Amino acid sequence: MTSFRISEAAALLGVSDDTVRRWADAGRLELERAPNGMRMVTGTELVRLLGDEPDGALADAFPLARASARNRMLGLVTAVERDGVMARVELRAGPFRIVSLMSREAADDLGLEPGCSPRRARRRP
């Protein structure tokens, strides 16, 4: 079973190390001790926490999380390929490359073009 250090779990969840520790202290997240004494979080425990919708720890930490990711994603569009019905959009978000497949209509409505940011792309009337 894969286990993560508290800092790794925090990065995966998008919260601070202290938040992970507080959740563990409050009983929302179960930590285990590794043979070296470090407190660790199992991957299955992270999956359980992510599945605690709609009133789980992540929902408490991110009350606006019900908005679609495209309305909150910070990054830069690097490529858009449109065909008859679909569009393939590449996005760089920090060190990550994200590829999204969406309807051409959605890409057009969002005004997605290379060099724009999904958060700043404008919806067309």
Side-chain angles (χ1 to χ4, degrees):
M1 178 180 340
T2 302
S3 293
F4 301 93
R5 293 186 315 241
I6 288 176
S7 61
E8 294 171 327
L12 289 168
L13 296 170
V15 299
S16 71
D17 299 8
D18 288 336
T19 297
V20 172
R21 287 185 191 95
R22 280 192 299 274
W23 287 346
D25 292 344
R28 291 180 158 177
L29 181 67
E30 186 177 323
L31 300 180
E32 296 181 350
R33 291 271 178 199
N36 64 2
M38 288 182 64
R39 296 189 332 169
M40 305 288 284
V41 183
T42 64
T44 54
E45 184 65 6
L46 292 177
V47 170
R48 185 198 60 76
L49 183 68
L50 290 170
D52 278 352
E53 292 298 326
D55 58 355
L58 287 179
D60 292 345
F62 299 100
L64 301 177
R66 287 189 175 92
S68 73
R70 73 178 181 202
N71 294 329
R72 295 182 296 126
M73 181 72 64
L74 182 59
L76 185 67
V77 174
T78 57
V80 179
E81 297 174 19
R82 291 174 170 90
D83 67 14
V85 177
M86 298 298 294
R88 180 180 176 271
V89 179
E90 288 188 33
L91 174 75
R92 289 293 305 230
F96 305 104
R97 177 177 163 261
I98 300 166
V99 178
S100 175
L101 299 176
M102 64 180 69
S103 71
R104 180 186 181 130
E105 180 180 1
D108 291 344
D109 286 349
L110 288 169
L112 296 178
E113 297 293 338
C116 78
S117 173
R119 287 183 74 163
R120 295 188 178 193
R122 299 195 177 183
R123 289 189 174 269
R124 296 184 182 154

